Amino acid sequence: GKGDEGREAREEGGGAMGLFKACFGGGEAPRLKRGVATVSQTGVMHEQGGVPNQDTGVAEEVGSGGDGVLIACVFDGHGDDGHEISALAAKLALDEIKRMLGAGETDVTKMVSSSFRVSNEGVDRSQYARTSGCTGSIVVVRGKELAVGNVGDSSVVLMATKKNNLYARWVSTDHRLDEPTERQRIVDHGGIIYEEQYVVDKVEKNKGLMVTRTMGDVDMRPNGVICDPEMKRLTLDDSNDRLLVVASDGLWDEDGMSFQFACSIAAKAARRDLAAVPKELLKSVQTEGPADDCTICAIAL
């Protein structure tokens, strides 16, 4: 998985430059026309078990030109009805963003936080919410303003150029037990931690989650699992910011994948076109996988 190597990206791109040159040689990362692209594939485990793809990914451009708004969302479902809950969450979130745009809203942070609120309320009311849930990552870009909200571990990476190569300028936080504040909240609520990897229900000990925040999974809330998104607002740097990639852990948890490696693949793919970016990222984990469902959305900035 992305592990510690990926965490370096939060600072200054870690070893991305050397890795990029080693893999692909130098070369300017081109500026693509603003737009969106997405791919999704059922994981090998689900395919073999006859389980549907539980991910839902949405990438849309609403309007065009300077007033155009770019939207990318990834929801990664789990549990018996994970595919139902991720589809519901995606529909509710996208409908709310479009409703706000239609009403003249221009604040990207308000759009993301409101879409999570509406989506969470709808998911909690659904028949699936007790025993199933999903992660959620929602990105809205308007002009130079970018807002990101995330619940769980469908990571968001902002890729920028530096010395003609791409590096991860900003990466969202994954809500797992290796994040100290996330772990502490579970401990404070008396949730059981198993093998430092799973939150286990203190009542029904056969139920557990790898993430500490999810949409749905209401039975896990007494254990400190929450559905509140972590929000981030960024002002884009016109001269250097190039791509945003949002992907489920079916990409990030594959062996050998890191944020830096993803930047290298994206930079090479972007020389073709935007559609090649998610396709090449998916191809990079297709030798024996992806083991898990894998959904990748890319936004050209």
Side-chain angles (χ1 to χ4, degrees):
K2 53 208 171 181
D4 294 330
E5 191 189 353
R7 289 184 189 283
E8 295 170 13
R10 295 182 193 175
E11 307 307 322
E12 266 300 306
M17 301 308 98
L19 178 59
F20 184 97
K21 285 172 184 166
C23 292
F24 303 116
E28 178 72 40
R31 179 176 288 287
L32 295 161
K33 182 176 177 291
R34 275 173 72 107
V36 295
T38 184
V39 294
S40 187
Q41 182 178 318
T42 306
V44 172
M45 290 186 301
H46 280 170
E47 218 161 47
Q48 289 170 349
V51 177
N53 186 339
Q54 293 190 309
D55 286 2
T56 302
V58 177
E60 281 197 31
E61 184 170 9
V62 180
S64 57
D67 295 328
V69 172
L70 301 164
I71 304 163
C73 316
V74 170
F75 300 86
D76 176 0
H78 51 257
D80 291 345
D81 297 302
H83 57 296
E84 301 279 8
I85 231 164
S86 69
L88 175 63
K91 183 187 185 310
L92 291 169
L94 190 63
D95 285 353
E96 175 63 6
I97 293 168
K98 288 181 173 176
R99 184 197 68 76
M100 293 179 80
L101 285 169
E105 184 58 69
T106 58
D107 187 321
V108 288
T109 303
K110 283 183 182 171
M111 289 181 218
V112 173
S113 61
S114 185
S115 66
F116 264 111
R117 181 181 53 78
V118 168
S119 194
N120 270 322
E121 286 170 1
V123 163
D124 280 3
R125 282 195 304 268
S126 76
Q127 68 204 72
Y128 318 114
R130 245 196 74 239
T131 56
S132 299
C134 66
T135 70
S137 293
I138 302 174
V139 174
V140 177
V141 182
R142 183 179 182 274
K144 288 186 183 182
E145 295 304 308
L146 157 68
V148 179
N150 75 298
V151 169
D153 58 5
S154 294
S155 304
V156 182
V157 186
L158 174 59
M159 300 180 179
T161 56
K162 189 177 189 180
K163 297 177 182 166
N164 293 336
N165 297 319
L166 283 181
Y167 77 103
R169 174 159 97 79
W170 178 82
V171 177
S172 59
T173 302
D174 287 345
H175 301 129
R176 290 182 174 181
L177 286 166
D178 56 1
E179 280 293 324
T181 52
E182 294 295 308
R183 189 182 193 282
Q184 192 57 50
R185 190 181 63 250
I186 302 300
V187 169
D188 290 346
H189 282 79
I192 298 165
I193 294 172
Y194 177 67
E195 290 186 347
E196 290 301 316
Q197 219 180 354
Y198 298 94
V199 183
V200 176
D201 188 358
K202 55 192 172 188
V203 180
E204 291 184 63
K205 296 190 171 59
N206 62 334
K207 287 168 70 170
L209 290 169
M210 276 188 74
V211 283
T212 53
R213 300 190 193 199
T214 74
M215 305 174 76
D217 292 304
V218 294
D219 281 8
M220 292 296 287
R221 303 258 170 95
N223 301 284
V225 175
I226 59 173
C227 63
D228 306 335
E230 185 167 335
M231 298 290 299
K232 180 73 174 180
R233 187 183 181 118
L234 292 160
T235 299
L236 294 171
D237 173 356
D238 268 357
S239 52
N240 295 313
D241 291 336
R242 289 288 188 270
L243 289 167
L244 258 167
V245 170
V246 190
S248 59
D249 65 345
L251 174 68
W252 305 118
D253 282 355
E254 286 288 322
D255 285 345
M257 181 52 68
S258 67
F259 296 126
Q260 288 92 330
F261 190 44
C263 286
S264 304
I265 293 165
K268 188 183 181 196
R271 293 177 201 164
R272 294 221 304 275
D273 57 25
L274 177 58
V277 173
K279 281 180 188 165
E280 289 300 318
L281 284 166
L282 179 60
K283 196 183 283 185
S284 72
V285 295
Q286 275 177 329
T287 319
E288 294 170 14
D292 194 4
D293 301 334
C294 184
T295 299
I296 305 160
C297 295
I299 294 181
L301 302 166

